[in-house]
Amino acid sequence: LLFIEHVRSEEPRLAAWQDRLNRLNRIVAHGCNCNRPTLEAILAAGFTITSLERGTLAKAPPFVRPLAVGTAEASDR
């Protein structure tokens, strides 16, 4: 699995803003969740994250800037 996704901020103040603005963002951005726990969802789906880089979406509004880029493989079950 290859992923590039804006994610919930690790910075508490920005994460709180993501929570506050998420409902509006879902309406304006056609269902997009700015505070979705993407990495946790990948793990819960049975994948192991094999590489991960954190960054930012440079020209995005601050509450959707946190970015995760990486790869994951199906876990042996």
Side-chain angles (χ1 to χ4, degrees):
L1 172 69
L2 301 173
F3 59 89
I4 179 168
E5 183 76 22
H6 61 85
V7 295
R8 182 175 177 84
S9 177
E10 293 181 307
E11 195 276 306
R13 290 186 69 196
L14 183 52
W17 271 107
Q18 288 175 307
D19 292 340
R20 286 184 201 106
L21 295 172
N22 192 55
R23 184 174 179 175
L24 175 63
N25 189 63
R26 286 178 42 214
I27 294 167
V28 173
H30 305 285
C32 185
N33 288 290
C34 62
N35 64 350
R36 184 178 302 158
T38 302
L39 301 177
E40 291 85 349
I42 290 170
L43 295 171
F47 289 88
T48 300
I49 296 173
T50 53
S51 69
L52 175 63
E53 293 182 32
R54 292 190 177 268
T56 58
L57 293 167
K59 294 185 179 185
F63 69 98
V64 292
R65 279 189 194 151
L67 178 70
V69 178
T71 59
E73 295 179 356
S75 299
D76 295 332
R77 292 188 174 208

